[in-house]
Amino acid sequence: MNALTEDNKDLELGDIITLDDENGEPLGDFEVIAMFDLNGKEYIALTEAIEDEEAEEDLDEEVDIFVFQVDGGEMVPLEEDEEGVVYAKLNEVLEGIELIDKGE
């Protein structure tokens, strides 16, 4: 579990955070791509942060998206039985986002 510290508890879309594994070792930097509520619970969706524009251009069409429930200041992995409904809601949220080229 990753705690939302004082530095990152007020996350916004586009923010970059570092996630740790269960041993406290850093897994890497992740970008907040969506935040939403579902059935009275709060969720946050992350994808690996892209370091530079060249890496962004080399990216495949698919990216891994990780969704966590935010519970008491902790980012908690989803339970298996809730994954389907949470990812369906995430798809709805992402459909409403217009991708913007930073150069425009």
Side-chain angles (χ1 to χ4, degrees), residues 13-85:
L13 295 179
D15 284 353
I16 306 292
I17 62 172
T18 301
L19 293 184
D20 298 331
D21 65 12
E22 59 275 352
N23 298 320
E25 297 294 319
L27 290 173
D29 293 332
F30 292 81
E31 181 176 354
V32 176
I33 60 167
M35 300 171 81
F36 58 95
D37 293 324
L38 178 65
N39 298 329
K41 297 179 182 177
E42 188 178 346
Y43 295 91
I44 185 169
L46 309 171
T47 189
E48 285 189 62
I50 299 171
E51 297 295 322
D52 57 38
E53 288 182 30
E54 281 184 31
E56 188 171 342
E57 291 173 9
D58 292 340
L59 243 175
D60 292 339
E61 292 290 322
E62 290 185 29
V63 294
D64 291 326
I65 297 175
F66 307 93
V67 179
F68 296 91
Q69 179 187 345
V70 179
D71 184 17
E74 297 277 332
M75 292 190 323
V76 182
L78 300 179
E79 298 289 331
E80 271 187 53
D81 62 337
E82 68 181 340
E83 285 180 359
V85 73

